[in-house]
Amino acid sequence: MYNEFFDREKLKYCYQCGKCSSGCDINRIDVSFQPHRLLHLISIGAADNLMEDAGLWKCTTCFTCSERCPQGIKVTEILWIARTIAVKAGHIPELLITQKDILLRTGRLIPMDNKKRGKAGLTAIQEESSVVARIFEIVEKEK
Amino acid sequence: MRYAFYLGCATPVKALKYEISTRNLAKILGIELVDIPEFSCCGFPVKSMDSFAALLMAARNLAIAEEKGMDIIGVCTGCMAILSEAKEYLEDEKLRDKVNEKLKAIGAKEYTGRVKVKHFARFLYEDYRLDRIRDKIVTPLASLEFGIHYGCHYMKPTHAHGHFDDPSNPFTIDGLINITGAKTINYPNKNLCCGLTIMGTAEDISFRLAAEKLEYLSSRGVDAMVVACPSCCIAYENNQKLVGKRVGKEFNLPVLYFTQVIGLAMGLSEKDLGFEFNRIKADKITEKFK
């Protein structure tokens, strides 16, 4: 399903200038995180090497790399897609398992706390609890 | 002025001061924010799991507002980025048809592309406009100085947000705060990410990112950091002690929402602006402008 979002043609325009990595604040703190390396591996069809790479989950999705890419490549978007591929291959961070579970049950990332809202003088909000579950059901049916 | 109010997941549980101050500010500005119970999560947290499912969630929310004939105003930068991105993707007719087919299958409305999506700060800057805000200022905040933290998803990706602000030199929220009479500083790490999105997967990097900005703004002696997103506020306010501990520092920097600052200048009470929920007390500010 990720193919819709994956502009493979555009990826060919990457000439490994490294601007994405040099302007990345995560790279500044942890040099092992290098967006340009990620693009390289994906473009040569070696994305499998990335699946267990903890680096995939170090990106904050701040979009600085995408904004600065001289070739107009949506670097952040590609990293995001790499994550979904990793997840599909079973490499799921603990956090995501918990989050998905909450989303499927409540339709929200953070379950509603209407008692707390009431105390603050805010009206109660009903959860659209089954929406996410229904969406996942229909998406997963296609696979 | 009637808008579908997109609260998102974090604000109504984790950022009550943001919700309270936004509702009360909108009220005195004559902006009607309509609650839409059918809205669900925007799709952002799902994007790392399944990008198509995330798109469906965003599209469903967009379609609900469309059907009600209202544009969307939101308060979370993450939600606004995901909904705006979805709008951009769904300009592709083939993809839109496919999405609509799925929406139909779950009994949701069709998305046609009419609805507009704006963060409340962007709406105030672009549509409500500064001069009308200035007219409503009763207590100029002349002696205050703030450091604004915009939040990456407030204006990025710029193509999805229609390039309304400059990611390397953002100005819209500065504009809103300056109109209250308060000063805002330009500072070296103004555009740094809060790091909250990786708190659960790379905590150390996340905390170090947050620490950099807290350290700098503390050293500059600003009265507070001003934010426009519940996630950024969690990173800088809720986590402030933890972050300080990680880098061996003790921070005491109040973090205010832009709605609290503007509301203060409009004479709204501390209670109407949710100041009781500020974890790092901003008494120095509120006492001055009661």
PDB file of all heavy atoms in Angstrom, chain A residues 4 25 28 57 59-62 67 77 108 116-117 128 134 138 142-143, chain B residues 8 12-13 19 47 50 89 98 102 106 153 156 158 192 197-198 201 212:
ATOM      1  N   GLU A   4       1.815   4.023  -3.164  1.00  0.00           N
ATOM      2  CA  GLU A   4       1.131   5.257  -3.551  1.00  0.00           C
ATOM      3  C   GLU A   4       1.875   6.505  -3.094  1.00  0.00           C
ATOM      4  O   GLU A   4       1.757   7.567  -3.673  1.00  0.00           O
ATOM      5  CB  GLU A   4      -0.254   5.298  -2.906  1.00  0.00           C
ATOM      6  CG  GLU A   4      -1.273   4.588  -3.719  1.00  0.00           C
ATOM      7  CD  GLU A   4      -2.128   3.704  -2.854  1.00  0.00           C
ATOM      8  OE1 GLU A   4      -1.793   3.510  -1.683  1.00  0.00           O
ATOM      9  OE2 GLU A   4      -3.129   3.217  -3.380  1.00  0.00           O
ATOM     10  N   ASP A  25      19.203  17.773  13.126  1.00  0.00           N
ATOM     11  CA  ASP A  25      19.550  17.944  14.540  1.00  0.00           C
ATOM     12  C   ASP A  25      19.738  16.608  15.251  1.00  0.00           C
ATOM     13  O   ASP A  25      20.442  16.528  16.250  1.00  0.00           O
ATOM     14  CB  ASP A  25      18.480  18.782  15.248  1.00  0.00           C
ATOM     15  CG  ASP A  25      18.655  20.267  14.950  1.00  0.00           C
ATOM     16  OD1 ASP A  25      19.752  20.785  15.179  1.00  0.00           O
ATOM     17  OD2 ASP A  25      17.697  20.889  14.452  1.00  0.00           O
ATOM     18  N   ARG A  28      23.240  15.561  14.559  1.00  0.00           N
ATOM     19  CA  ARG A  28      24.177  16.356  15.366  1.00  0.00           C
ATOM     20  C   ARG A  28      24.351  15.723  16.753  1.00  0.00           C
ATOM     21  O   ARG A  28      25.443  15.744  17.324  1.00  0.00           O
ATOM     22  CB  ARG A  28      23.640  17.785  15.484  1.00  0.00           C
ATOM     23  CG  ARG A  28      24.499  18.745  16.260  1.00  0.00           C
ATOM     24  CD  ARG A  28      24.016  20.179  16.066  1.00  0.00           C
ATOM     25  NE  ARG A  28      22.606  20.356  16.388  1.00  0.00           N
ATOM     26  CZ  ARG A  28      22.121  20.432  17.618  1.00  0.00           C
ATOM     27  NH1 ARG A  28      22.916  20.323  18.658  1.00  0.00           N
ATOM     28  NH2 ARG A  28      20.822  20.595  17.821  1.00  0.00           N
ATOM     29  N   TRP A  57      13.719   4.902  14.022  1.00  0.00           N
ATOM     30  CA  TRP A  57      12.836   5.413  15.061  1.00  0.00           C
ATOM     31  C   TRP A  57      13.463   6.561  15.826  1.00  0.00           C
ATOM     32  O   TRP A  57      13.021   6.931  16.904  1.00  0.00           O
ATOM     33  CB  TRP A  57      12.406   4.266  15.982  1.00  0.00           C
ATOM     34  CG  TRP A  57      11.779   3.192  15.162  1.00  0.00           C
ATOM     35  CD1 TRP A  57      12.406   2.083  14.654  1.00  0.00           C
ATOM     36  CD2 TRP A  57      10.441   3.156  14.655  1.00  0.00           C
ATOM     37  NE1 TRP A  57      11.530   1.361  13.878  1.00  0.00           N
ATOM     38  CE2 TRP A  57      10.321   1.986  13.865  1.00  0.00           C
ATOM     39  CE3 TRP A  57       9.328   3.996  14.790  1.00  0.00           C
ATOM     40  CZ2 TRP A  57       9.131   1.642  13.212  1.00  0.00           C
ATOM     41  CZ3 TRP A  57       8.155   3.636  14.155  1.00  0.00           C
ATOM     42  CH2 TRP A  57       8.061   2.486  13.371  1.00  0.00           C
ATOM     43  N   CYS A  59      14.098   9.501  14.083  1.00  0.00           N
ATOM     44  CA  CYS A  59      13.655  10.706  13.362  1.00  0.00           C
ATOM     45  C   CYS A  59      12.418  11.291  14.042  1.00  0.00           C
ATOM     46  O   CYS A  59      11.473  10.577  14.344  1.00  0.00           O
ATOM     47  CB  CYS A  59      13.336  10.345  11.913  1.00  0.00           C
ATOM     48  SG  CYS A  59      12.516  11.665  11.000  1.00  0.00           S
ATOM     49  N   THR A  60      12.447  12.604  14.279  1.00  0.00           N
ATOM     50  CA  THR A  60      11.290  13.244  14.914  1.00  0.00           C
ATOM     51  C   THR A  60      10.241  13.664  13.876  1.00  0.00           C
ATOM     52  O   THR A  60       9.197  14.170  14.235  1.00  0.00           O
ATOM     53  CB  THR A  60      11.691  14.523  15.693  1.00  0.00           C
ATOM     54  OG1 THR A  60      12.192  15.477  14.748  1.00  0.00           O
ATOM     55  CG2 THR A  60      12.733  14.232  16.753  1.00  0.00           C
ATOM     56  N   THR A  61      10.540  13.496  12.594  1.00  0.00           N
ATOM     57  CA  THR A  61       9.713  13.975  11.485  1.00  0.00           C
ATOM     58  C   THR A  61       9.550  15.494  11.519  1.00  0.00           C
ATOM     59  O   THR A  61       8.474  16.016  11.313  1.00  0.00           O
ATOM     60  CB  THR A  61       8.305  13.304  11.424  1.00  0.00           C
ATOM     61  OG1 THR A  61       7.483  13.791  12.495  1.00  0.00           O
ATOM     62  CG2 THR A  61       8.394  11.805  11.510  1.00  0.00           C
ATOM     63  N   CYS A  62      10.669  16.184  11.754  1.00  0.00           N
ATOM     64  CA  CYS A  62      10.622  17.656  11.814  1.00  0.00           C
ATOM     65  C   CYS A  62      10.573  18.278  10.420  1.00  0.00           C
ATOM     66  O   CYS A  62      10.311  19.463  10.278  1.00  0.00           O
ATOM     67  CB  CYS A  62      11.795  18.208  12.606  1.00  0.00           C
ATOM     68  SG  CYS A  62      13.365  18.264  11.703  1.00  0.00           S
ATOM     69  N   GLU A  67      12.611  20.031   3.590  1.00  0.00           N
ATOM     70  CA  GLU A  67      12.556  21.444   3.201  1.00  0.00           C
ATOM     71  C   GLU A  67      13.848  21.878   2.509  1.00  0.00           C
ATOM     72  O   GLU A  67      13.836  22.757   1.659  1.00  0.00           O
ATOM     73  CB  GLU A  67      12.320  22.339   4.426  1.00  0.00           C
ATOM     74  CG  GLU A  67      10.960  22.157   5.083  1.00  0.00           C
ATOM     75  CD  GLU A  67       9.797  22.565   4.192  1.00  0.00           C
ATOM     76  OE1 GLU A  67       9.964  23.433   3.324  1.00  0.00           O
ATOM     77  OE2 GLU A  67       8.698  21.999   4.385  1.00  0.00           O
ATOM     78  N   GLU A  77       9.194  11.875   4.294  1.00  0.00           N
ATOM     79  CA  GLU A  77       8.129  10.979   3.843  1.00  0.00           C
ATOM     80  C   GLU A  77       8.698   9.588   3.544  1.00  0.00           C
ATOM     81  O   GLU A  77       8.085   8.571   3.865  1.00  0.00           O
ATOM     82  CB  GLU A  77       7.505  11.592   2.581  1.00  0.00           C
ATOM     83  CG  GLU A  77       6.068  11.254   2.348  1.00  0.00           C
ATOM     84  CD  GLU A  77       5.135  11.757   3.433  1.00  0.00           C
ATOM     85  OE1 GLU A  77       5.587  12.406   4.377  1.00  0.00           O
ATOM     86  OE2 GLU A  77       3.932  11.457   3.329  1.00  0.00           O
ATOM     87  N   ARG A 108      -8.694   6.921  19.758  1.00  0.00           N
ATOM     88  CA  ARG A 108      -7.831   8.062  20.086  1.00  0.00           C
ATOM     89  C   ARG A 108      -6.484   7.557  20.574  1.00  0.00           C
ATOM     90  O   ARG A 108      -6.382   6.465  21.105  1.00  0.00           O
ATOM     91  CB  ARG A 108      -8.439   8.886  21.223  1.00  0.00           C
ATOM     92  CG  ARG A 108      -9.727   9.536  20.863  1.00  0.00           C
ATOM     93  CD  ARG A 108     -10.260  10.291  22.062  1.00  0.00           C
ATOM     94  NE  ARG A 108     -11.145  11.331  21.608  1.00  0.00           N
ATOM     95  CZ  ARG A 108     -10.756  12.554  21.270  1.00  0.00           C
ATOM     96  NH1 ARG A 108      -9.510  12.909  21.381  1.00  0.00           N
ATOM     97  NH2 ARG A 108     -11.632  13.432  20.842  1.00  0.00           N
ATOM     98  N   LYS A 116     -11.813  14.409  34.553  1.00  0.00           N
ATOM     99  CA  LYS A 116     -10.845  15.506  34.621  1.00  0.00           C
ATOM    100  C   LYS A 116     -11.397  16.739  33.882  1.00  0.00           C
ATOM    101  O   LYS A 116     -11.263  17.872  34.359  1.00  0.00           O
ATOM    102  CB  LYS A 116      -9.543  15.032  33.957  1.00  0.00           C
ATOM    103  CG  LYS A 116      -8.370  15.965  34.040  1.00  0.00           C
ATOM    104  CD  LYS A 116      -7.131  15.247  33.468  1.00  0.00           C
ATOM    105  CE  LYS A 116      -6.043  16.218  33.074  1.00  0.00           C
ATOM    106  NZ  LYS A 116      -4.971  15.554  32.294  1.00  0.00           N
ATOM    107  N   ARG A 117     -12.033  16.491  32.734  1.00  0.00           N
ATOM    108  CA  ARG A 117     -12.603  17.600  31.961  1.00  0.00           C
ATOM    109  C   ARG A 117     -13.728  18.288  32.737  1.00  0.00           C
ATOM    110  O   ARG A 117     -13.809  19.507  32.765  1.00  0.00           O
ATOM    111  CB  ARG A 117     -13.129  17.102  30.608  1.00  0.00           C
ATOM    112  CG  ARG A 117     -12.038  16.665  29.656  1.00  0.00           C
ATOM    113  CD  ARG A 117     -12.615  16.176  28.327  1.00  0.00           C
ATOM    114  NE  ARG A 117     -13.403  17.206  27.659  1.00  0.00           N
ATOM    115  CZ  ARG A 117     -12.881  18.221  26.980  1.00  0.00           C
ATOM    116  NH1 ARG A 117     -11.582  18.310  26.846  1.00  0.00           N
ATOM    117  NH2 ARG A 117     -13.661  19.109  26.414  1.00  0.00           N
ATOM    118  N   GLU A 128     -15.074   8.322  19.526  1.00  0.00           N
ATOM    119  CA  GLU A 128     -15.522   7.651  18.304  1.00  0.00           C
ATOM    120  C   GLU A 128     -14.802   6.317  18.273  1.00  0.00           C
ATOM    121  O   GLU A 128     -13.922   6.068  17.453  1.00  0.00           O
ATOM    122  CB  GLU A 128     -15.151   8.499  17.082  1.00  0.00           C
ATOM    123  CG  GLU A 128     -16.201   9.492  16.680  1.00  0.00           C
ATOM    124  CD  GLU A 128     -17.505   8.856  16.259  1.00  0.00           C
ATOM    125  OE1 GLU A 128     -17.577   8.240  15.191  1.00  0.00           O
ATOM    126  OE2 GLU A 128     -18.475   8.962  17.038  1.00  0.00           O
ATOM    127  N   ARG A 134     -12.303  -0.028  12.486  1.00  0.00           N
ATOM    128  CA  ARG A 134     -12.957  -0.297  11.197  1.00  0.00           C
ATOM    129  C   ARG A 134     -12.015   0.003  10.037  1.00  0.00           C
ATOM    130  O   ARG A 134     -11.984  -0.703   9.036  1.00  0.00           O
ATOM    131  CB  ARG A 134     -14.239   0.540  11.074  1.00  0.00           C
ATOM    132  CG  ARG A 134     -15.453  -0.173  11.688  1.00  0.00           C
ATOM    133  CD  ARG A 134     -16.712   0.639  11.483  1.00  0.00           C
ATOM    134  NE  ARG A 134     -16.736   1.809  12.347  1.00  0.00           N
ATOM    135  CZ  ARG A 134     -17.327   2.960  12.049  1.00  0.00           C
ATOM    136  NH1 ARG A 134     -17.920   3.119  10.889  1.00  0.00           N
ATOM    137  NH2 ARG A 134     -17.312   3.962  12.898  1.00  0.00           N
ATOM    138  N   ILE A 138     -10.485  -2.752   7.234  1.00  0.00           N
ATOM    139  CA  ILE A 138     -10.661  -2.660   5.778  1.00  0.00           C
ATOM    140  C   ILE A 138      -9.306  -2.595   5.051  1.00  0.00           C
ATOM    141  O   ILE A 138      -9.133  -3.141   3.969  1.00  0.00           O
ATOM    142  CB  ILE A 138     -11.568  -1.454   5.434  1.00  0.00           C
ATOM    143  CG1 ILE A 138     -12.230  -1.695   4.086  1.00  0.00           C
ATOM    144  CG2 ILE A 138     -10.827  -0.145   5.424  1.00  0.00           C
ATOM    145  CD1 ILE A 138     -13.496  -0.906   3.942  1.00  0.00           C
ATOM    146  N   GLU A 142      -7.260  -6.105   2.543  1.00  0.00           N
ATOM    147  CA  GLU A 142      -6.746  -6.046   1.169  1.00  0.00           C
ATOM    148  C   GLU A 142      -5.417  -6.738   0.973  1.00  0.00           C
ATOM    149  O   GLU A 142      -4.939  -6.881  -0.122  1.00  0.00           O
ATOM    150  CB  GLU A 142      -6.614  -4.583   0.749  1.00  0.00           C
ATOM    151  CG  GLU A 142      -7.916  -4.060   0.232  1.00  0.00           C
ATOM    152  CD  GLU A 142      -7.732  -2.937  -0.754  1.00  0.00           C
ATOM    153  OE1 GLU A 142      -6.569  -2.607  -1.081  1.00  0.00           O
ATOM    154  OE2 GLU A 142      -8.740  -2.371  -1.168  1.00  0.00           O
ATOM    155  N   LYS A 143      -4.774  -7.055   2.084  1.00  0.00           N
ATOM    156  CA  LYS A 143      -3.409  -7.571   1.937  1.00  0.00           C
ATOM    157  C   LYS A 143      -3.393  -9.066   1.651  1.00  0.00           C
ATOM    158  O   LYS A 143      -4.241  -9.783   2.089  1.00  0.00           O
ATOM    159  CB  LYS A 143      -2.611  -7.238   3.195  1.00  0.00           C
ATOM    160  CG  LYS A 143      -2.231  -5.780   3.134  1.00  0.00           C
ATOM    161  CD  LYS A 143      -1.752  -5.297   4.472  1.00  0.00           C
ATOM    162  CE  LYS A 143      -1.846  -3.786   4.492  1.00  0.00           C
ATOM    163  NZ  LYS A 143      -1.820  -3.276   5.841  1.00  0.00           N
TER     164      LYS A 143
ATOM    165  N   GLY B   8      -8.289  17.163  18.427  1.00  0.00           N
ATOM    166  CA  GLY B   8      -7.235  16.152  18.427  1.00  0.00           C
ATOM    167  C   GLY B   8      -7.259  15.302  19.686  1.00  0.00           C
ATOM    168  O   GLY B   8      -8.175  15.412  20.508  1.00  0.00           O
ATOM    169  N   PRO B  12      -7.546  17.702  24.542  1.00  0.00           N
ATOM    170  CA  PRO B  12      -8.654  17.584  25.517  1.00  0.00           C
ATOM    171  C   PRO B  12      -8.335  16.753  26.755  1.00  0.00           C
ATOM    172  O   PRO B  12      -9.145  16.686  27.669  1.00  0.00           O
ATOM    173  CB  PRO B  12      -9.776  16.934  24.701  1.00  0.00           C
ATOM    174  CG  PRO B  12      -9.102  16.243  23.581  1.00  0.00           C
ATOM    175  CD  PRO B  12      -7.848  17.018  23.283  1.00  0.00           C
ATOM    176  N   VAL B  13      -7.150  16.114  26.782  1.00  0.00           N
ATOM    177  CA  VAL B  13      -6.776  15.332  27.964  1.00  0.00           C
ATOM    178  C   VAL B  13      -5.529  15.904  28.629  1.00  0.00           C
ATOM    179  O   VAL B  13      -5.438  16.012  29.845  1.00  0.00           O
ATOM    180  CB  VAL B  13      -6.502  13.848  27.595  1.00  0.00           C
ATOM    181  CG1 VAL B  13      -6.396  13.000  28.858  1.00  0.00           C
ATOM    182  CG2 VAL B  13      -7.582  13.296  26.681  1.00  0.00           C
ATOM    183  N   GLU B  19      -7.026  24.254  25.707  1.00  0.00           N
ATOM    184  CA  GLU B  19      -8.428  24.193  25.265  1.00  0.00           C
ATOM    185  C   GLU B  19      -9.247  25.323  25.896  1.00  0.00           C
ATOM    186  O   GLU B  19      -9.992  26.027  25.204  1.00  0.00           O
ATOM    187  CB  GLU B  19      -9.043  22.830  25.622  1.00  0.00           C
ATOM    188  CG  GLU B  19     -10.482  22.727  25.127  1.00  0.00           C
ATOM    189  CD  GLU B  19     -11.137  21.384  25.429  1.00  0.00           C
ATOM    190  OE1 GLU B  19     -10.426  20.404  25.757  1.00  0.00           O
ATOM    191  OE2 GLU B  19     -12.376  21.317  25.343  1.00  0.00           O
ATOM    192  N   LYS B  47       0.617   6.804  11.052  1.00  0.00           N
ATOM    193  CA  LYS B  47       1.420   6.964   9.838  1.00  0.00           C
ATOM    194  C   LYS B  47       2.673   6.093   9.829  1.00  0.00           C
ATOM    195  O   LYS B  47       3.148   5.698   8.768  1.00  0.00           O
ATOM    196  CB  LYS B  47       1.790   8.438   9.648  1.00  0.00           C
ATOM    197  CG  LYS B  47       2.123   8.735   8.203  1.00  0.00           C
ATOM    198  CD  LYS B  47       2.298  10.188   7.927  1.00  0.00           C
ATOM    199  CE  LYS B  47       3.026  10.345   6.601  1.00  0.00           C
ATOM    200  NZ  LYS B  47       3.251  11.714   6.223  1.00  0.00           N
ATOM    201  N   ASP B  50       0.902   2.305   9.113  1.00  0.00           N
ATOM    202  CA  ASP B  50       0.277   2.067   7.819  1.00  0.00           C
ATOM    203  C   ASP B  50      -0.150   3.417   7.237  1.00  0.00           C
ATOM    204  O   ASP B  50      -1.107   4.024   7.711  1.00  0.00           O
ATOM    205  CB  ASP B  50      -0.951   1.146   8.009  1.00  0.00           C
ATOM    206  CG  ASP B  50      -1.518   0.687   6.678  1.00  0.00           C
ATOM    207  OD1 ASP B  50      -1.732   1.538   5.793  1.00  0.00           O
ATOM    208  OD2 ASP B  50      -1.747  -0.521   6.529  1.00  0.00           O
ATOM    209  N   TYR B  89      -2.362  15.121  -0.824  1.00  0.00           N
ATOM    210  CA  TYR B  89      -2.374  13.799  -1.475  1.00  0.00           C
ATOM    211  C   TYR B  89      -3.667  13.574  -2.236  1.00  0.00           C
ATOM    212  O   TYR B  89      -3.684  13.019  -3.325  1.00  0.00           O
ATOM    213  CB  TYR B  89      -2.211  12.692  -0.430  1.00  0.00           C
ATOM    214  CG  TYR B  89      -0.772  12.411  -0.060  1.00  0.00           C
ATOM    215  CD1 TYR B  89      -0.349  12.434   1.267  1.00  0.00           C
ATOM    216  CD2 TYR B  89       0.164  12.106  -1.041  1.00  0.00           C
ATOM    217  CE1 TYR B  89       0.968  12.177   1.607  1.00  0.00           C
ATOM    218  CE2 TYR B  89       1.488  11.836  -0.717  1.00  0.00           C
ATOM    219  CZ  TYR B  89       1.880  11.870   0.610  1.00  0.00           C
ATOM    220  OH  TYR B  89       3.173  11.615   0.935  1.00  0.00           O
ATOM    221  N   LYS B  98     -10.107   6.087  -4.713  1.00  0.00           N
ATOM    222  CA  LYS B  98      -9.816   4.876  -3.947  1.00  0.00           C
ATOM    223  C   LYS B  98     -10.136   5.094  -2.463  1.00  0.00           C
ATOM    224  O   LYS B  98     -10.724   4.230  -1.803  1.00  0.00           O
ATOM    225  CB  LYS B  98      -8.326   4.539  -4.123  1.00  0.00           C
ATOM    226  CG  LYS B  98      -7.985   3.195  -3.593  1.00  0.00           C
ATOM    227  CD  LYS B  98      -6.559   2.840  -3.926  1.00  0.00           C
ATOM    228  CE  LYS B  98      -6.174   1.618  -3.100  1.00  0.00           C
ATOM    229  NZ  LYS B  98      -4.752   1.357  -3.155  1.00  0.00           N
ATOM    230  N   LYS B 102     -13.196   3.373   0.045  1.00  0.00           N
ATOM    231  CA  LYS B 102     -12.984   2.784   1.384  1.00  0.00           C
ATOM    232  C   LYS B 102     -13.826   3.509   2.433  1.00  0.00           C
ATOM    233  O   LYS B 102     -14.363   2.887   3.343  1.00  0.00           O
ATOM    234  CB  LYS B 102     -11.508   2.862   1.804  1.00  0.00           C
ATOM    235  CG  LYS B 102     -10.548   2.212   0.853  1.00  0.00           C
ATOM    236  CD  LYS B 102     -10.684   0.698   0.891  1.00  0.00           C
ATOM    237  CE  LYS B 102      -9.817   0.067  -0.180  1.00  0.00           C
ATOM    238  NZ  LYS B 102     -10.447  -1.067  -0.829  1.00  0.00           N
ATOM    239  N   ILE B 106     -16.850   1.969   5.084  1.00  0.00           N
ATOM    240  CA  ILE B 106     -16.988   2.036   6.548  1.00  0.00           C
ATOM    241  C   ILE B 106     -18.130   2.980   6.948  1.00  0.00           C
ATOM    242  O   ILE B 106     -18.274   3.357   8.109  1.00  0.00           O
ATOM    243  CB  ILE B 106     -15.668   2.466   7.256  1.00  0.00           C
ATOM    244  CG1 ILE B 106     -15.209   3.852   6.773  1.00  0.00           C
ATOM    245  CG2 ILE B 106     -14.583   1.434   7.093  1.00  0.00           C
ATOM    246  CD1 ILE B 106     -14.296   4.551   7.760  1.00  0.00           C
ATOM    247  N   HIS B 153       5.623  21.004  12.859  1.00  0.00           N
ATOM    248  CA  HIS B 153       4.483  20.713  11.990  1.00  0.00           C
ATOM    249  C   HIS B 153       3.527  21.898  11.835  1.00  0.00           C
ATOM    250  O   HIS B 153       2.569  21.826  11.088  1.00  0.00           O
ATOM    251  CB  HIS B 153       3.725  19.481  12.517  1.00  0.00           C
ATOM    252  CG  HIS B 153       4.571  18.236  12.494  1.00  0.00           C
ATOM    253  ND1 HIS B 153       4.321  17.149  13.283  1.00  0.00           N
ATOM    254  CD2 HIS B 153       5.679  17.937  11.780  1.00  0.00           C
ATOM    255  CE1 HIS B 153       5.238  16.214  13.044  1.00  0.00           C
ATOM    256  NE2 HIS B 153       6.074  16.677  12.144  1.00  0.00           N
ATOM    257  N   LYS B 156       5.529  23.105   8.548  1.00  0.00           N
ATOM    258  CA  LYS B 156       6.150  22.110   7.670  1.00  0.00           C
ATOM    259  C   LYS B 156       5.310  20.832   7.608  1.00  0.00           C
ATOM    260  O   LYS B 156       4.724  20.468   8.617  1.00  0.00           O
ATOM    261  CB  LYS B 156       7.559  21.759   8.183  1.00  0.00           C
ATOM    262  CG  LYS B 156       8.564  22.877   8.002  1.00  0.00           C
ATOM    263  CD  LYS B 156       9.946  22.467   8.501  1.00  0.00           C
ATOM    264  CE  LYS B 156      10.041  22.585  10.011  1.00  0.00           C
ATOM    265  NZ  LYS B 156      11.381  22.316  10.555  1.00  0.00           N
ATOM    266  N   THR B 158       6.095  22.594   4.144  1.00  0.00           N
ATOM    267  CA  THR B 158       5.557  23.874   3.672  1.00  0.00           C
ATOM    268  C   THR B 158       4.631  23.721   2.462  1.00  0.00           C
ATOM    269  O   THR B 158       3.679  24.491   2.313  1.00  0.00           O
ATOM    270  CB  THR B 158       6.686  24.856   3.323  1.00  0.00           C
ATOM    271  OG1 THR B 158       7.610  24.193   2.460  1.00  0.00           O
ATOM    272  CG2 THR B 158       7.413  25.333   4.557  1.00  0.00           C
ATOM    273  N   LEU B 192      14.457  24.651  16.431  1.00  0.00           N
ATOM    274  CA  LEU B 192      14.752  23.299  16.889  1.00  0.00           C
ATOM    275  C   LEU B 192      13.463  22.561  17.251  1.00  0.00           C
ATOM    276  O   LEU B 192      12.540  23.138  17.814  1.00  0.00           O
ATOM    277  CB  LEU B 192      15.667  23.389  18.113  1.00  0.00           C
ATOM    278  CG  LEU B 192      16.380  22.133  18.577  1.00  0.00           C
ATOM    279  CD1 LEU B 192      17.272  21.586  17.467  1.00  0.00           C
ATOM    280  CD2 LEU B 192      17.243  22.452  19.804  1.00  0.00           C
ATOM    281  N   THR B 197       8.090  13.475  19.575  1.00  0.00           N
ATOM    282  CA  THR B 197       7.655  12.317  18.783  1.00  0.00           C
ATOM    283  C   THR B 197       8.565  11.100  18.975  1.00  0.00           C
ATOM    284  O   THR B 197       8.162   9.988  18.687  1.00  0.00           O
ATOM    285  CB  THR B 197       7.584  12.640  17.265  1.00  0.00           C
ATOM    286  OG1 THR B 197       8.834  13.190  16.874  1.00  0.00           O
ATOM    287  CG2 THR B 197       6.467  13.605  16.955  1.00  0.00           C
ATOM    288  N   ILE B 198       9.801  11.320  19.429  1.00  0.00           N
ATOM    289  CA  ILE B 198      10.673  10.152  19.633  1.00  0.00           C
ATOM    290  C   ILE B 198      10.911   9.868  21.116  1.00  0.00           C
ATOM    291  O   ILE B 198      11.790   9.083  21.466  1.00  0.00           O
ATOM    292  CB  ILE B 198      12.028  10.292  18.891  1.00  0.00           C
ATOM    293  CG1 ILE B 198      12.743  11.598  19.263  1.00  0.00           C
ATOM    294  CG2 ILE B 198      11.831  10.186  17.390  1.00  0.00           C
ATOM    295  CD1 ILE B 198      14.204  11.630  18.862  1.00  0.00           C
ATOM    296  N   THR B 201      10.741   6.184  21.613  1.00  0.00           N
ATOM    297  CA  THR B 201      11.612   5.283  20.852  1.00  0.00           C
ATOM    298  C   THR B 201      13.098   5.658  20.967  1.00  0.00           C
ATOM    299  O   THR B 201      13.967   4.838  20.723  1.00  0.00           O
ATOM    300  CB  THR B 201      11.234   5.278  19.350  1.00  0.00           C
ATOM    301  OG1 THR B 201      11.151   6.627  18.884  1.00  0.00           O
ATOM    302  CG2 THR B 201       9.901   4.594  19.124  1.00  0.00           C
ATOM    303  N   GLU B 212      18.234  21.552  24.983  1.00  0.00           N
ATOM    304  CA  GLU B 212      18.970  22.620  24.287  1.00  0.00           C
ATOM    305  C   GLU B 212      18.172  23.929  24.279  1.00  0.00           C
ATOM    306  O   GLU B 212      18.705  24.998  24.544  1.00  0.00           O
ATOM    307  CB  GLU B 212      19.287  22.198  22.853  1.00  0.00           C
ATOM    308  CG  GLU B 212      20.418  21.176  22.783  1.00  0.00           C
ATOM    309  CD  GLU B 212      20.774  20.813  21.347  1.00  0.00           C
ATOM    310  OE1 GLU B 212      20.335  21.518  20.422  1.00  0.00           O
ATOM    311  OE2 GLU B 212      21.485  19.801  21.169  1.00  0.00           O
TER     312      GLU B 212
END
